[in-house]
Amino acid sequence: MKIMKKRAVLSIAVMTLLTTFLILSCSGEKKEEAKANTATQNASTEKKEVNPMDNKGIGPIKNVTLGEIDPGRAAKGKEIFQAKCSACHKETKKYIGPAPQGVLTRRSPEWIMNMILNPEEMVKNDDIAKKLFEEFMYVPMANQSLTEDEARSVLEYFRTL
Amino acid sequence: MKKINKTAFLLLAISLIVGLTSCVQDKSQKGALAGSTAEKVFVAPGEYDDYYAFLSGGFSGQLAVHGLPSGRLFKVIPVFSVDGEKAYGFNEETKPMLETSYGSIPWDDSHHPDLSQTNGEIDGRWCFINANNTPRIARISLKTFETVEIIEIPNSAGNHSSSFVTENTEYVVAGTRFSIPVPQKDMSIDEYKGNFKGALSFIKVDPDDGIMSIEFQILMPGFNYDLSHPGRGKSHGWMFFSTYNTEEANSLLEVNASQNDKDFIAAINWKKAEEYIKAGKFKTVPTKYAHNVYDESTHSATSTMEKTVRILDPAALPGLVYFMPTPKSPHGCDVDPTGEYIVGSGKLAAALTVHSFSKMIKAIEEKNFDGEAYGIPILSFDATLAGTVQQPGLGPLHTEFDGKGNAYTTFFISSEIVKWKLGTWEVLDRKPTYYSVGHLMIPGGNSRKPFGKYVLAMNKITKDRYISTGPEVCQSAQLYDISGDKMELLLDFPTIGEPHYAAGCPTELIHPYTQKIYKLEDNKHPYVTKSEHEAKVVRDGNNVHIYMTMIRSHFAPDNIEGVQTGDRVYFHVTNLEQDYDVPHGISIIGAKTSELLIMPGQTETFVWEPKNIGVWPFYCTDFCSALHQEMQGYVRVSPKGSDVPLKWSLDGEDL
């Protein structure tokens, strides 16, 4: 009797497992999502000390080559910065957000541009951005809908600070 | 025994699994769940509805945006009435929208939305709707879902046979329900007959920017012009209006306007009207009507008073108007997708009357007339008749089409929708409505290309359909699936105001093209502040203009001094955000415009008249971030004539 019960429990367990498996495999999208989640979890649990300059951030910008400072582009960048960013960033002092002065010694150019262009994902999934989000009292970095070219000009302006 | 047991369990498990998976995968086929009505209207969290439905707000004066098949309400677009939620009619920018020749009118009665068309198909650009009481037509942008224009209709009263759109949106048409003296004058009401007139207005729509202008009015005999619909396809260039009270009664109409065996459907040849206009056969008459336009770059409306209108006299202009006799006070006047059939729903008739456009043209050519009314030829009833739908129900009101050769007519008295076949006139199906249906809507119904999957019934009586809210119960619509041979009731859902007509179209015609933000660089508001450095406070006599910005989560400036009692303080507030769905709000204690709701990149203004000295807080009224509660500031109010200087700052620093 006892054995019977045990076996029944076992079979039910198998059944439940199988059903669960099948339901999971039915909804393909969910599985992908789950996979993506574990991937990011793995990424964040691998807490190796990395050089922040090697972190390119998450977003459309994969590679930026910096040449001589282009004064025309920097001037344009200043204009954009004044219009779209200065409500929260002051060039030389910590304000609602951090000061951009010297940011190129702390962060890679790709990271800076991705932070401008893709702040929502950055504060969620990028380790440095996540820490900054915490430090700046969870005021989200606003996505000011800059184009890549505009973000590149802002970066050029930062190089002159 | 044990073995059998185990095998049985396994088999059971497998069959269960197979059963389960086949259920999930065979959604499209007739499985165990396929018959579920709930499933047909269920839009899973995060998923989108297939159709937009724009329902008139009736006596709320607004326009409601719902999704179908879920019935979910997305937005109430303020049109003819002030709306505290969005400060429409309260902020300085939208106040001019409600101006009329009678002054500012805070609310109205909105009836019949219709969508713009190109080549007879819905193009997803604009929605038009009429104000019934103080006659106006509004245009709503389907990019911003905001009212961008309102034009008043002079010489009109009870603007009911409106606002219907021709197949290339050449015109939005507005007809008067009540005839009146034109021009207005002090005269005995008893002299109505023969002296009162009904104006039918053709409002031109600019094909590029949508700007409306009254092209001409046709001054008709003193009947009641109830509803209208445009010709399409072969009948493009014609507009059809139902009439009642051809008796020209001016009292106890419920008896006196129901005497004639037949009233008319008026067929207007507007292409002919254009020829007459070109030939100068119009009279320019003085009048007064407001034309209010909201400029999307200055985020501000202006109101202009127009002074004249061009009038065409149908008695003097042959070929402009013909009357088609139609039994018993026709209400709905609906044209099928091919443009061949014009359905007149005689409210008190036992049968539905369907006219044929080609027969009408033939009758005109053959001068098959049965007399005239005030110089307008009356076509012989039999000459234009295509057929009748016999004994379809009681109290027919409106008809829509599915594009598959079927028509759907509402019956108010017998409270049902009846499906019948065009051409054979046979009744195919009938389904009750709960209760007393008025209009109905099939997405794309007033076009060459209806999307015949659902019909929406808008009911006049709700009674016991929902949990009670006292004597005044909610307004209601019902959704039917019409994809099969038989209609199937899927859903009841509440609506705002009294929903009269509605317009609908597939989601993909509008959703991908909607505006997300207002670009700061395109903001041409005269009091815009494009960055915190430009924030300032300017005194001009007793007027104080605050140029203020907002971004998560602070105002700039947030400390202001030097304001005095008796000042008129204008808060011109620009939202500096450039990201989707980050609006901010603002309000200050004692302000009569209690709240602004400002979209990213937008500037709005409210006026505050401080009565008492003190330090008064203002704050963000729309939850914007984790530090929303910190988004606040103060204005110091000193006595009139005080020497406290005008000063503004943020974080102790001047801006």
Side-chain angles (χ1 to χ4, degrees):
Chain A
M1 187 60 186
K2 219 178 177 181
I3 294 166
M4 269 287 284
K5 218 174 163 185
K6 216 174 165 185
R7 189 159 286 154
V9 167
L10 233 156
S11 306
I12 286 164
V14 167
M15 210 163 84
T16 317
L17 256 168
L18 271 168
T19 314
T20 317
F21 171 75
L22 263 153
I23 285 171
L24 268 174
S25 61
C26 258
S27 45
E29 265 174 71
K30 294 270 157 58
K31 210 168 79 181
E32 293 262 302
E33 213 171 82
K35 228 195 229 162
N37 276 339
T38 27
T40 49
Q41 264 164 27
N42 287 344
S44 53
T45 45
E46 271 172 36
K47 281 233 168 93
K48 269 186 272 165
E49 273 305 311
V50 276
N51 179 358
M53 294 304 284
D54 293 338
N55 179 354
K56 295 193 172 188
I58 306 157
I61 306 302
K62 307 292 175 212
N63 225 333
V64 178
T65 323
L66 298 178
E68 289 276 296
I69 292 179
D70 174 351
R73 197 184 248 289
K76 204 176 132 213
K78 182 176 181 171
E79 227 171 79
I80 297 161
F81 177 82
Q82 296 278 3
K84 302 278 175 76
C85 317
S86 65
C88 295
H89 297 274
K90 291 199 186 306
E91 279 90 339
T92 55
K93 74 173 208 190
K94 180 176 164 178
Y95 191 44
I96 313 298
Q101 189 181 45
V103 67
L104 280 120
T105 63
R106 305 189 296 270
R107 315 267 177 261
S108 70
E110 295 84 1
W111 190 95
I112 296 167
M113 284 182 67
N114 283 326
M115 192 66 203
I116 294 170
L117 294 168
N118 189 30
E120 299 91 347
E121 201 182 352
M122 287 286 281
V123 300
K124 244 183 250 165
N125 297 326
D126 179 83
D127 286 342
I128 299 174
K130 267 160 60 181
K131 242 184 235 156
L132 286 168
F133 190 40
E134 215 177 294
E135 190 185 327
F136 286 86
M137 294 172 294
Y138 301 105
V139 178
M141 161 92 172
N143 186 338
Q144 291 295 76
S145 301
L146 267 60
T147 62
E148 281 187 22
D149 187 62
E150 286 171 327
R152 179 65 187 80
S153 298
V154 170
L155 176 74
E156 202 68 0
Y157 172 55
F158 289 173
R159 295 177 71 198
T160 68
L161 294 173
Chain B
M1 178 66 184
K2 278 174 198 166
K3 224 178 192 173
I4 292 165
N5 230 332
K6 201 175 169 184
T7 323
F9 258 110
L10 264 168
L11 271 171
L12 187 75
I14 288 161
S15 63
L16 184 65
I17 288 154
V18 169
L20 254 171
T21 47
S22 65
C23 267
V24 175
Q25 284 164 353
D26 281 5
K27 228 178 179 178
S28 55
Q29 291 164 23
K30 291 229 179 288
L33 296 172
S36 158
T37 305
E39 205 181 43
K40 288 187 174 167
V41 297
F42 180 66
V43 177
E47 286 182 6
Y48 294 141
D49 280 282
D50 296 331
Y51 295 90
Y52 279 100
F54 299 91
L55 275 67
S56 83
F59 33 67
S60 84
Q62 315 294 48
L63 178 72
V65 187
H66 290 262
L68 298 180
S70 74
R72 297 180 296 184
L73 173 66
F74 301 133
K75 185 175 184 182
V76 175
I77 302 173
V79 186
F80 297 113
S81 303
V82 295
D83 179 11
E85 184 183 309
K86 299 167 179 68
Y88 180 83
F90 293 107
N91 63 27
E92 297 305 298
E93 288 77 8
T94 55
K95 274 181 185 169
M97 292 302 284
L98 299 176
E99 285 299 324
T100 72
S101 62
Y102 306 91
S104 177
I105 305 265
W107 72 90
D108 210 298
D109 180 16
S110 63
H111 274 245
H112 309 126
D114 202 8
L115 300 169
S116 57
Q117 298 182 22
T118 304
N119 297 326
E121 293 181 17
I122 288 169
D123 60 18
R125 299 176 79 191
W126 305 300
C127 183
F128 300 89
I129 191 166
N130 56 324
N132 194 57
N133 185 41
T134 301
R136 283 168 287 168
I137 300 288
R139 180 170 57 90
I140 291 118
S141 158
L142 296 181
K143 237 172 81 186
T144 59
F145 284 64
E146 303 281 352
T147 304
V148 288
E149 189 179 6
I150 293 179
I151 193 163
E152 193 180 346
I153 314 296
N155 302 324
S156 187
N159 176 33
H160 195 268
S161 38
S162 324
S163 49
F164 300 101
V165 175
T166 57
E167 87 172 12
N168 284 301
T169 321
E170 294 96 338
Y171 297 99
V172 176
V173 177
T176 195
R177 181 167 142 218
F178 309 120
S179 282
I180 48 171
V182 178
Q184 271 293 2
K185 63 176 175 185
D186 178 15
M187 65 181 281
S188 166
I189 303 169
D190 287 340
E191 291 167 28
Y192 179 116
K193 201 162 187 166
N195 292 313
F196 282 31
K197 298 283 178 215
L200 307 180
S201 308
F202 284 71
I203 301 150
K204 210 170 182 69
V205 180
D206 186 289
D208 297 322
D209 57 16
I211 294 290
M212 300 186 283
S213 55
I214 300 177
E215 184 71 1
F216 56 86
Q217 293 189 317
I218 300 175
L219 211 55
M220 299 284 286
F223 310 152
N224 288 35
Y225 296 86
D226 208 9
L227 278 156
S228 64
H229 267 99
R232 55 180 60 97
K234 62 169 88 166
S235 53
H236 180 55
W238 290 80
M239 192 82 196
F240 304 95
F241 288 81
S242 57
T243 72
Y244 67 101
N245 193 24
T246 51
E247 296 85 349
E248 294 180 80
N250 56 280
S251 185
L252 195 66
L253 265 66
E254 74 174 311
V255 175
N256 296 329
S258 306
Q259 298 302 307
N260 289 351
D261 184 45
K262 293 189 180 72
D263 295 276
F264 301 123
I265 283 180
I268 314 275
N269 185 343
W270 58 258
K271 290 237 162 119
K272 198 85 188 162
E274 288 179 337
E275 288 171 21
Y276 283 129
I277 288 287
K278 231 182 216 167
K281 298 281 171 75
F282 56 86
K283 227 174 29 188
T284 301
V285 302
T287 182
K288 210 175 144 197
Y289 60 98
H291 184 200
N292 312 328
V293 179
Y294 182 85
D295 182 323
E296 287 179 311
S297 65
T298 61
H299 308 179
S300 304
T302 47
S303 179
T304 320
M305 208 56 79
E306 304 286 351
K307 304 254 162 41
T308 59
V309 69
R310 298 192 286 197
I311 297 230
L312 295 173
D313 174 8
L317 302 170
L320 183 61
V321 183
Y322 297 92
F323 285 135
M324 292 192 279
T326 306
K328 295 283 176 198
S329 303
H331 186 61
C333 173
D334 299 290
V335 181
D336 88 306
T338 68
E340 168 62 12
Y341 298 120
I342 302 117
V343 182
S345 301
K347 294 193 292 275
L348 310 170
L352 275 176
T353 304
V354 186
H355 297 285
S356 150
F357 176 73
S358 24
K359 287 178 90 172
M360 181 193 92
I361 293 296
K362 192 159 170 261
I364 292 169
E365 283 166 3
E366 292 172 355
K367 295 200 178 348
N368 196 345
F369 300 147
D370 193 6
E372 60 169 49
Y374 295 102
I376 297 168
I378 300 168
L379 297 168
S380 143
F381 176 66
D382 294 325
T384 64
L385 188 70
T388 50
V389 184
Q390 292 296 335
Q391 304 288 334
L394 295 175
L397 291 185
H398 304 281
T399 302
E400 294 255 311
F401 308 89
D402 63 5
K404 300 166 197 159
N406 303 307
Y408 301 74
T409 302
T410 55
F411 289 82
F412 175 78
I413 299 168
S414 53
S415 186
E416 59 189 335
I417 296 178
V418 173
K419 175 182 177 180
W420 51 276
K421 198 162 181 58
L422 287 158
T424 69
W425 325 118
E426 60 190 311
V427 170
L428 301 174
D429 187 26
R430 56 178 72 238
K431 281 285 176 304
T433 61
Y434 304 90
Y435 304 93
S436 302
V437 60
H439 277 272
L440 78 174
M441 183 275 281
I442 292 173
N446 176 36
S447 78
R448 280 198 214 173
K449 190 182 157 191
F451 302 88
K453 183 152 188 217
Y454 302 109
V455 64
L456 187 70
M458 285 152 276
N459 300 321
K460 299 301 182 192
I461 293 169
T462 308
K463 267 194 315 213
D464 52 10
R465 294 297 284 184
Y466 300 94
I467 50 175
S468 175
T469 52
E472 187 189 330
V473 297
C474 71
Q475 303 287 329
S476 171
Q478 292 186 295
L479 187 73
Y480 296 78
D481 182 340
I482 54 166
S483 56
D485 290 341
K486 299 286 171 191
M487 295 178 273
E488 185 189 1
L489 174 59
L490 300 179
L491 179 72
D492 279 27
F493 66 91
T495 68
I496 63 154
E498 180 193 348
H500 290 273
Y501 197 29
C505 74
T507 297
E508 62 264 23
L509 287 181
I510 298 175
H511 173 77
Y513 312 106
T514 53
Q515 189 164 323
K516 306 287 189 286
I517 60 165
Y518 294 89
K519 281 190 173 168
L520 263 180
E521 49 265 42
D522 298 339
N523 183 331
K524 306 230 164 26
H525 191 290
Y527 291 96
V528 65
T529 312
K530 291 200 181 179
S531 80
E532 288 192 354
H533 308 279
E534 294 169 21
K536 63 187 174 190
V537 183
V538 178
R539 176 177 284 284
D540 171 20
N542 282 339
N543 292 334
V544 175
H545 293 276
I546 301 175
Y547 293 72
M548 183 181 271
T549 66
M550 58 206 329
I551 196 161
R552 280 164 288 176
S553 285
H554 62 277
F555 296 96
D558 68 359
N559 281 201
I560 296 161
E561 298 198 354
V563 170
Q564 300 174 3
T565 53
D567 281 346
R568 236 176 113 74
V569 183
Y570 290 82
F571 282 77
H572 307 287
V573 192
T574 302
N575 181 349
L576 293 181
E577 307 274 359
Q578 288 291 273
D579 198 3
Y580 191 25
D581 197 18
V582 197
H584 293 284
I586 184 170
S587 185
I588 190 164
I589 188 168
K592 286 185 180 154
T593 294
S594 293
E595 176 264 325
L596 296 181
L597 185 62
I598 310 170
M599 296 304 125
Q602 201 179 22
T603 304
E604 286 191 16
T605 303
F606 75 96
V607 179
W608 179 52
E609 295 181 277
K611 298 279 185 281
N612 302 309
I613 58 155
V615 178
W616 306 104
F618 57 90
Y619 70 103
C620 177
T621 50
D622 184 32
F623 199 100
C624 57
S625 79
L627 295 176
H628 161 75
Q629 292 296 84
E630 279 70 14
M631 192 162 170
Q632 63 167 68
Y634 287 103
V635 178
R636 174 182 174 185
V637 177
S638 305
K640 193 166 183 63
S642 151
D643 54 9
V644 172
L646 207 57
K647 219 172 82 174
W648 58 95
S649 63
L650 171 64
D651 199 21
E653 284 181 24
D654 296 342
L655 291 158

